[in-house]
Every structure is written in structure tokens, then in C-alpha cells.
Amino acid sequence: MNPVKVGICGLGTVGGGTLNVLKRNAEEITRRAGRGIEVAQIAIRSPKPQYDTTGISLTSDVFELVNNPEIDIVIELIGGYTLARDLVLKAIDNGKHVVTANKALIAVHGNEIFAKAREKGVIVAFEAAVAGGIPVVKAIREGLAANRINWLAGIINGTGNFILSEMREKGRTFDGVLAEAQALGYAEADPTFDVEGIDAAHKLTILASIAFGIPLQFDKAYTEGITKLTTADVNYAEALGYRIKHLGVARRTDAGIELRVHPTLIPADRLIANVNGVMNAVMVNGDAAGSTLFYGAGAGMEPTASSVIADLVDVVRALTADPTNRVPHLAFQPDSLSDHPILPIEACESAYYLRIQAKDHPGVLAQVASILSARGINIESIMQKEVEEQDGLVPMILVTHRVVEAQINEAISALEVLDDVVGSVVRIRVEQLN
Amino acid sequence: MNPVKVGICGLGTVGGGTLNVLKRNAEEITRRAGRGIEVAQIAIRSPKPQYDTTGISLTSDVFELVNNPEIDIVIELIGGYTLARDLVLKAIDNGKHVVTANKALIAVHGNEIFAKAREKGVIVAFEAAVAGGIPVVKAIREGLAANRINWLAGIINGTGNFILSEMREKGRTFDGVLAEAQALGYAEADPTFDVEGIDAAHKLTILASIAFGIPLQFDKAYTEGITKLTTADVNYAEALGYRIKHLGVARRTDAGIELRVHPTLIPADRLIANVNGVMNAVMVNGDAAGSTLFYGAGAGMEPTASSVIADLVDVVRALTADPTNRVPHLAFQPDSLSDHPILPIEACESAYYLRIQAKDHPGVLAQVASILSARGINIESIMQKEVEEQDGLVPMILVTHRVVEAQINEAISALEVLDDVVGSVVRIRVEQLN
């Protein structure tokens, strides 16, 4: 059988990795796919690629590639929302299948893209868009297809996890670690997407769709970054038996779906609490399978290429299959997506870690406890530290039972106006992840 | 579209779980599969099933079921090698697809079964045969299809892991925990398959085939159980920074493929070293993806049913696909399986933990060190304990660098004939699993 011809748009890190792995493992991949995969054309910005492109047609025009009648599958690796959207829609229009690693594109324009793909009978595959080399999209979409999924929680941004791991292991500050990560090239020059949770929210949006059978709704995800985390809170969490991780959490409740990215205390003995450095992990809890965890490299040249190529092999198999009986893009048949609403963060429920800076007066604890109990908020554990020498304040650390966020907000407002409470109350969500 | 009709052979734990989950999640599963799945017939030994079988035809004759022209897919859940083999071959002969949770059947008769299935153009799916609810067969076969897989290592027997976890956490003996596990129903009345590693070797055989593209060769797997492990070794391992786990390890080397099940020391900070109780986990190292880990419940009613039903959904999709372009049973095209040999255990390489009971004489360490160094075996770390009060012996614990097993065997023979060494040298393999 003739090899399938693919075109790669973008020869950056992931494009280069894809080219390298397709070449190095050509025999292994053909033995699996039953058919060779040939890179017929590459669209690149610069005319001097740093990878070996011998025998491959090069163009600086991505539209030349997506209009190339020789090409069966277009691999979109240019990133961003605008040109990427145009070229993916054009590729679909031309009847080509698409493989993409672009989480932002899928999270923001996925509904439009998949509708168009269905109309044209082509596949848009995106395993590489979430958690790099971990085949977690396939695991949720196919491997856990028997389950009503209750919740999922993931460490899905490697830069953020690297920063938190360094803060905990070495007592370093957020700013210090970020500066080093930028110098080493782990973190982007503009780290906003990573440290503010936007990148994680893109991925979480995708995971929630395939887990719950809902349309992609990135604009409704709650996103809170890690920029305000202090080494003090990392250490207090540790003393209470927790680790702080930047999690994407999606949970199904009767009222709606929680879709939220934020720093989270997790019991230190949970496997996911021990995922360190740039590694990623996603926990998925289904009603039949129970809790599962998928761990691996969340980014990087070849891990991401691994997922791009796994998608390519899937598409090669689907080339001769009945287009009406494929794995649906978002795991559920498009005519049976659910309109279960995404909950606003105020309606989400979790336990909370609170750090209150209080004056060293008798009776403060009683006042705090009374404000919480008046709002039906139970205290799970409490830790009071020594008076801080500098300012004479006593840090009081509480972990509450589970409560709706609106209630904890009210309580925090009431705490912050107490005479003996100084400054803002620090609030970090707590999840057990059993 | 009419629902797909399936027949279940065997209504034990997994059969009951499959029936329950298919019923409870019927809507969710149909929304994914695009087509309902209806249990048309169940073959059971006893006429009074403990599950709700209202409206389902029952038979005590599995062959009536596999000959039933109404049934598209046969689910084999009776276990064992003999009747299961006959009925699966008959189902295939009748042109029916098969889903099975039977690891022994696939490991021992898989090559014959898959050959027959290819001849008849049907699928035999077996996700549930390995690691219960963890979709690890799919992950390796499809999710990591881009990779040349270097090695995999798994905790793939829940009973064994439960026993080792209890020994470590509570200082209990092997026999004590096993007796309790049997009383609680975690362990079989005849625990041989679990504690001697046979069950794990069945699963490892399957994982190695789909990872490396080799035929199933259960008879060549090296199998060592956990029955001889002592609490003392568990504790010494801990003191050296390791945990002892019962692992299935498959590794590709230039000379051949290592395929071995045995107790293994793993550095305590590895994620897989922290998989406790009855949980399972499989690490897979690919040349592109790096190390990934897949974790979850390795057995149990509904976790196993989760994988059975995931396979059902896959088969439903494949019903209208080109039978010549499916995911191959063993991940690689059947005409391109490799004849890379399975290595005998003597040719396998690992590091070793050695515990030597020595008399408290000066110069013993020098003798031991000289025997090892004469055979090119380097010592990574050494720990000498106090003299044991009872017998006046000094336990000397060593961890070696990596060495071929034949060499360590020679060294152990030489150590055991030393005048100052008493009894057998305890030897446990050590893997870093980076």
C-alpha cells in the first residue's frame, strides 16, 4: 500500500520532533499502522530549517500546503488562534484530516472546527493538545467509555508544576524560580499563559468536554494562577500533611459542572501530590473504573511528537472506515452533547485552607470560629504558629470542611473586618482526590 | 440504529459487573458509541443468578450462546484455558467478535486465537485481561504507537501488592497477611497464581507482545513469587531508600527481550514505588514519550467491567470498518511480528540486593568484596547491621551495580562456600525505573 502523505505546518520544537520520530521509528510505525507515513511537504517561516528535510518539499505558505492535492493529512503545529484557525478550516474544507497540538485553538474554536469536520467527513485529532506525551485524551474518550465520569483533576502545566516543586523542595520564591525557568528556556519570555493558568484552562476545557459530553466552553472556566503563592503557604501546607499543586479540576454535580484551575492543597500521600518537576498527571474518577491516573511528560519535543504521531496512526486506520461510525471528536455523539451548565465559581464546592494574620490578642480564635460556625462552616484542622517577630502578628491556619465558595467568601469578608485581623485572608482550595 | 446484541458467558464477579454497568450507564454508553448495547443472552452454570436478568435469555450451555445467530459479540468471562479456548474458537468460527478478560487464555493460546480471528475477519479484544480498569492495553497499542518501546514494568497483581504493602506498612509477615487476605476474599483459596507470579506473568506476556511486536511466549517468561520475602528484607530495603514491589519487567536489549516477574527493589521516591494496597500501575518507557505511568484498580467487579465495555464500544465502532485496516490484535501487523528472542534469566541484567549472614569475624567484608570484584561486580552501597543477638551473625547488605544474572549467580555460589558465611545468600533484583 502506498504511504499516507502528510504535511507539517510549523517546524518548531514539536514539528521538528515529529519529523525526527517519524524518520527514526519509520519501521516500527509502519509495522503498527500497516502503512507508511511520508512527510510530503513542510510549511516553515524561515527558509533554513534546523532539521533534516532532504527530499521534502518546503514552502513558506501554509495555504499552499493545505491546498496541496497530494496531502491526505495536515499537521497543524503553528500555534495561536488566528492563522491556525484559518488553515485548519481550509484544510477541512479541502477534505483533509487534521492533527493538531494546539490546545488554545481546540478550546476556543473547537466547536466550530468539529462541526465543519463532521460536515466534510474528516477527523480533527488533538491528543497532543493535552498533557504532551500522555495518551489521556484516548484514555478518557475510549478507554473509559463505560463510565459515567464523576470528576477529573490534572497537573497539566509543566512550567507551573516545576515552579511549585522548586518552591517546596528548596524553599525558593515564586519569582526566583520563574526567572531561572525563563533563563533555562522552560518558561516562555511571557509566562502569563503558564503561571496564570490559561494554558491549563485550555487543556481542562478539552478534558471536561470529552469526560462529560458537553460542548467546549473555555470562556466559562474559572482560572486562578500561582503568582500569589508564598513559600510560607507552601510550608504551612506541608506541615498540615498537604502539597500545593496547580490543578485543573472538573467535577459533575447535579446543579452543573465545575470547571476550575487554581492552586490546590492535596494530601501528601496521594500519588498525584508526588508528581514533581515538569511532569504532568491526570486523575480521572469514573463510576465503574474508580480512580485512575495517567502520568508522563506534559510537553517537550518528542513526547508531544509521540502524541501527534499516535493521532496520525489513528487517522490512517480511519481512512478506510465508515465515516459515520468513528470515535466522535468530543467522545460523545455530536447530537447528544449535554447542556448541563458550567457552574460559576461561587457555586463550586471545596474545602479551604485559610491563613489569617491576627494580632496576638486573647479571643481572636473564638471570634474566627464563631464567624465560621455562624455560616455553617466546620473546621477540619487548625494550626497556630508562634508570634512573628517582625510585626507581632500570629499566623492562624485553618482547613475547613467542604463548603460552597459563596459561603467561604462571605466568611472571609466578615473575618477581614475584625479589628484583630490584619490584611487579607489567604484562601487556597483543598481537594482530597480519593 | 438497532442495538448491538451481545452474549455474556459466565455471570461471576466480572459478568455481574458488566451487566450492572451496561444497565446503569446505558444512556452514557449509547451517547458515546452511537448505538445501544443489548445483552441478549447469558450462559450461567447455576439457574439462579444473583443479578437482575429480567428479559435476558439464560442458558446453561455456553455453546448454545456462541451458536446463537442473534448475537454479534461474545463476552468470555468463564476463565480457565480449556472450555474458554473451545468456546472462543467456536465463536470466532461462527463469525462473532469476542471480548475477554481471560489473561491466561490470551497468554497461553493467544497466537492460535488471533490467527483464527484474522482468518475469519473478527476482533478478539482483551483490555480487561491486563490491569483491570486501567486502559493500558489501549495506551500501549494505540496511544504510544509512535514509540520504539524500551521497557515496561508493572505492578500487575493486586493481591501480591496488597501483601507487600501490609508487610511494609505494618511489619507483618507474608503468611499472616496472606491468611487475612484469604479470609477477606481478596486472595483465592489457592493463591498460587497470585503469590507465585503466574498471574503477573500472564499479563506481562501480553504487555510485552503489544509493546515489542513479538508473538505471545508465556512459556519463556521467568517467574519468581513473593513467598520467600521476609519482613527483614522489606525493612533493610526501606533503610537503603527502596521499596520492594512484585514487578513484571519486560526490556528490549540488542541480544533479546527480558521477560521476568520477581520481587524488585525500586527507589522509594519513584511514583510506582508508592502504588500501594490492591492498586495496579504500569510504567512504559518509549524512545519518544519517555516514561509514562498508568495507574488504577487492577481487579474487581466494576473496574474490570469498565474495560470489558470499553472493548465492546471499540468493537461496535469496528463493525462497519474495513476489516483489513483495524488495530492489530497484538498492536503490530501479524505479518511483521519480530523473532527477537526472549532471553533466559541468566542473560538478563539488573542490579542486585544481597543479604549475607556472616559470622562476626574481621576480614569477612574484605573476602566478600574480593569475590565480587574478581567477577567485575561493583558495589553501589553497603550496610552492615549490629550482631544479631540470637545467633551471633552479622547481616551484611549490599546493592550492586548492574550486572548479568549469570555473573551474580557465580558470585553467590562463591560467597556461600566461604567459612564465615552462613546459609544462603538472599538475592533480590533492583531496578531504577527512571
Side-chain angles (χ1 to χ4, degrees):
Chain A
M1 215 177 197
N2 288 338
V4 176
K5 297 204 171 175
V6 306
I8 301 178
C9 297
L11 200 61
T13 307
V14 179
T18 302
L19 192 63
N20 285 351
V21 176
L22 277 175
K23 194 173 291 184
R24 188 176 73 232
N25 290 350
E27 189 223 336
E28 196 96 356
I29 293 165
T30 307
R31 283 174 63 207
R32 288 194 176 95
R35 197 168 166 189
I37 296 174
E38 181 190 323
V39 179
Q41 192 166 40
I42 298 175
I44 39 169
R45 230 176 313 184
S46 126
K48 287 184 188 164
Q50 56 195 116
Y51 303 102
D52 177 13
T53 55
T54 316
I56 302 172
S57 150
L58 302 180
T59 172
S60 60
D61 177 5
V62 289
F63 290 97
E64 184 188 324
L65 189 151
V66 301
N67 291 325
N68 182 341
E70 274 211 325
I71 286 173
D72 302 307
I73 308 171
V74 171
I75 306 175
E76 183 280 302
L77 300 171
I78 63 170
Y81 308 83
T82 314
L83 179 58
R85 173 176 165 274
D86 292 346
L87 88 85
V88 165
L89 290 174
K90 186 67 190 163
I92 293 169
D93 218 29
N94 289 339
K96 299 188 193 307
H97 302 279
V98 175
V99 172
T100 177
N102 191 332
K103 57 223 80 167
L105 179 71
I106 296 298
V108 176
H109 297 297
N111 298 324
E112 176 194 14
I113 288 170
F114 297 139
K116 180 105 179 172
R118 280 195 304 280
E119 196 189 305
K120 293 286 177 177
V122 299
I123 298 171
V124 177
F126 53 91
E127 180 66 78
V130 182
I134 313 172
V136 66
V137 168
K138 180 175 281 283
I140 297 174
R141 201 171 47 185
E142 302 168 39
L144 298 173
N147 291 264
R148 184 173 162 88
I149 293 178
N150 297 313
W151 54 264
L152 60 86
I155 296 173
I156 43 183
N157 181 276
T159 305
N161 201 43
F162 173 77
I163 294 173
L164 293 182
S165 301
E166 289 286 300
M167 286 174 73
R168 186 183 77 84
E169 288 163 18
K170 302 180 186 158
R172 301 174 65 189
T173 64
F174 173 83
D175 291 332
V177 186
L178 177 59
E180 190 210 36
Q182 286 173 312
L184 291 171
Y186 297 161
E188 305 285 332
D190 176 0
T192 313
F193 268 42
D194 289 330
V195 300
E196 295 295 359
I198 301 163
D199 175 74
H202 285 145
K203 295 166 182 167
L204 181 69
T205 298
I206 297 172
L207 291 175
S209 275
I210 62 174
F212 305 127
I214 54 173
L216 295 152
Q217 293 161 81
F218 170 68
D219 54 330
K220 293 188 184 145
Y222 171 78
T223 306
E224 185 179 312
I226 55 173
T227 53
K228 289 176 201 146
L229 277 183
T230 65
T231 316
D233 290 313
V234 170
N235 293 338
Y236 291 143
E238 188 89 3
L240 287 162
Y242 291 90
R243 300 270 164 86
I244 300 182
K245 292 292 179 186
H246 198 199
L247 284 192
V249 177
R251 175 182 276 122
R252 187 206 304 256
T253 74
D254 289 340
I257 286 165
E258 301 184 354
L259 192 63
R260 47 194 171 91
V261 173
H262 49 68
T264 314
L265 274 75
I266 311 170
D269 65 357
R270 299 289 183 272
L271 221 50
I272 195 169
N274 293 284
V275 170
N276 294 318
V278 296
M279 301 305 281
N280 278 201
V282 179
M283 277 186 85
V284 186
N285 181 277
D287 68 341
S291 285
T292 50
L293 178 141
F294 306 90
Y295 163 89
M301 187 164 179
E302 294 209 351
T304 311
S306 170
S307 287
V308 166
I309 297 169
D311 274 349
L312 278 179
V313 174
D314 273 0
V315 173
V316 168
R317 295 220 169 91
L319 287 176
T320 60
D322 171 6
T324 67
N325 193 22
R326 285 185 187 134
V327 181
H329 290 111
L330 289 177
F332 291 75
Q333 301 294 325
D335 58 1
S336 65
L337 293 189
S338 149
D339 57 2
H340 209 43
I342 307 292
L343 295 173
I345 188 68
E346 293 74 20
C348 293
E349 191 187 279
S350 75
Y352 292 87
Y353 161 103
L354 302 179
R355 175 161 59 87
I356 302 162
Q357 293 286 92
K359 291 179 191 156
D360 189 22
H361 292 168
V364 184
L365 178 57
Q367 285 180 296
V368 167
S370 130
I371 283 176
L372 293 175
S373 90
R375 285 158 186 84
I377 302 170
N378 293 318
I379 297 172
E380 163 86 34
S381 60
I382 187 158
M383 182 168 73
Q384 232 172 330
K385 304 302 289 185
E386 301 293 299
V387 172
E388 286 181 2
E389 283 185 23
Q390 280 190 311
D391 48 18
L393 296 178
V394 189
M396 186 188 296
I397 292 111
L398 300 169
V399 176
T400 73
H401 282 201
R402 293 183 70 82
V403 58
V404 167
E405 180 127 341
Q407 266 173 286
I408 206 82
N409 288 345
E410 253 189 60
I412 289 173
S413 299
L415 289 170
E416 287 177 344
V417 298
L418 287 177
D419 282 346
D420 286 340
V421 167
V422 177
S424 303
V425 171
V426 172
R427 174 264 308 276
I428 310 175
R429 295 168 192 85
V430 181
E431 295 288 347
Q432 291 299 317
L433 304 184
N434 281 311
Chain B
M1 219 177 194
N2 288 339
V4 177
K5 296 201 172 176
V6 306
I8 302 179
C9 298
L11 200 60
T13 307
V14 180
T18 302
L19 191 63
N20 285 351
V21 176
L22 277 176
K23 195 173 291 184
R24 187 176 74 232
N25 290 349
E27 189 223 334
E28 197 96 357
I29 294 166
T30 307
R31 283 174 63 207
R32 288 193 177 95
R35 195 169 168 189
I37 297 174
E38 181 190 323
V39 179
Q41 192 166 40
I42 299 176
I44 39 169
R45 232 176 311 185
S46 128
K48 286 185 187 164
Q50 57 195 115
Y51 303 101
D52 177 14
T53 55
T54 317
I56 302 173
S57 151
L58 301 181
T59 173
S60 61
D61 177 5
V62 289
F63 290 98
E64 184 188 324
L65 189 152
V66 300
N67 290 325
N68 182 341
E70 272 211 326
I71 287 174
D72 302 307
I73 308 172
V74 171
I75 306 176
E76 183 280 302
L77 300 173
I78 63 169
Y81 308 82
T82 313
L83 178 59
R85 172 175 165 274
D86 292 346
L87 88 84
V88 164
L89 289 174
K90 186 69 189 164
I92 294 169
D93 217 28
N94 289 338
K96 298 186 194 307
H97 302 279
V98 175
V99 172
T100 178
N102 191 332
K103 58 222 80 167
L105 179 71
I106 296 298
V108 176
H109 297 297
N111 298 324
E112 175 193 14
I113 288 169
F114 297 138
K116 180 105 178 173
R118 280 195 304 280
E119 194 189 308
K120 292 287 178 175
V122 299
I123 299 171
V124 176
F126 53 90
E127 179 67 78
V130 183
I134 313 173
V136 67
V137 168
K138 182 176 279 283
I140 296 174
R141 201 170 48 185
E142 303 168 38
L144 298 173
N147 291 264
R148 183 173 164 89
I149 293 179
N150 298 312
W151 55 265
L152 60 87
I155 296 173
I156 44 182
N157 181 276
T159 306
N161 201 43
F162 172 77
I163 294 173
L164 293 183
S165 300
E166 290 285 301
M167 287 174 72
R168 186 184 77 83
E169 289 164 17
K170 302 179 185 158
R172 301 174 65 189
T173 64
F174 173 82
D175 291 332
V177 186
L178 176 59
E180 190 210 37
Q182 286 173 311
L184 291 170
Y186 295 160
E188 306 285 332
D190 175 1
T192 313
F193 267 42
D194 288 329
V195 300
E196 295 295 359
I198 301 163
D199 175 75
H202 284 144
K203 295 166 182 167
L204 180 69
T205 299
I206 297 172
L207 291 175
S209 275
I210 62 175
F212 303 128
I214 54 174
L216 295 152
Q217 294 160 82
F218 170 69
D219 54 330
K220 293 188 184 145
Y222 171 78
T223 305
E224 185 179 311
I226 55 172
T227 55
K228 289 176 202 146
L229 276 184
T230 64
T231 316
D233 290 313
V234 170
N235 293 338
Y236 291 142
E238 188 87 4
L240 287 163
Y242 291 91
R243 301 269 165 86
I244 300 183
K245 292 291 178 187
H246 198 199
L247 284 192
V249 177
R251 176 180 277 123
R252 186 205 306 254
T253 73
D254 289 342
I257 287 165
E258 301 184 355
L259 191 63
R260 46 193 171 93
V261 173
H262 49 68
T264 315
L265 273 75
I266 311 169
D269 65 356
R270 299 289 183 273
L271 221 50
I272 195 169
N274 294 283
V275 170
N276 293 318
V278 297
M279 301 305 281
N280 278 200
V282 179
M283 278 188 84
V284 186
N285 182 276
D287 69 341
S291 285
T292 51
L293 177 141
F294 305 91
Y295 163 91
M301 187 165 181
E302 293 209 351
T304 311
S306 171
S307 287
V308 167
I309 297 169
D311 275 350
L312 279 180
V313 173
D314 273 359
V315 174
V316 168
R317 294 222 169 90
L319 288 176
T320 60
D322 171 6
T324 67
N325 193 21
R326 286 186 186 133
V327 181
H329 290 111
L330 289 177
F332 291 76
Q333 301 295 324
D335 57 2
S336 65
L337 292 189
S338 149
D339 58 2
H340 209 45
I342 307 292
L343 294 174
I345 188 67
E346 293 73 21
C348 293
E349 191 187 279
S350 75
Y352 293 87
Y353 160 103
L354 302 179
R355 175 161 59 88
I356 303 162
Q357 293 287 93
K359 291 179 191 157
D360 189 20
H361 292 167
V364 184
L365 177 57
Q367 286 180 294
V368 168
S370 127
I371 283 176
L372 293 176
S373 88
R375 286 158 186 83
I377 302 170
N378 293 318
I379 298 171
E380 164 85 35
S381 60
I382 186 158
M383 181 169 71
Q384 232 172 330
K385 304 301 289 183
E386 300 295 297
V387 172
E388 286 181 2
E389 284 184 23
Q390 279 188 312
D391 49 17
L393 296 177
V394 189
M396 186 189 295
I397 292 111
L398 300 168
V399 176
T400 73
H401 282 201
R402 292 182 71 81
V403 57
V404 167
E405 180 126 341
Q407 263 173 287
I408 206 83
N409 288 346
E410 252 188 60
I412 289 173
S413 301
L415 289 170
E416 287 178 344
V417 297
L418 286 179
D419 283 345
D420 286 339
V421 168
V422 177
S424 303
V425 172
V426 172
R427 174 265 307 277
I428 310 175
R429 295 167 191 86
V430 181
E431 294 288 347
Q432 292 299 318
L433 303 185
N434 281 313

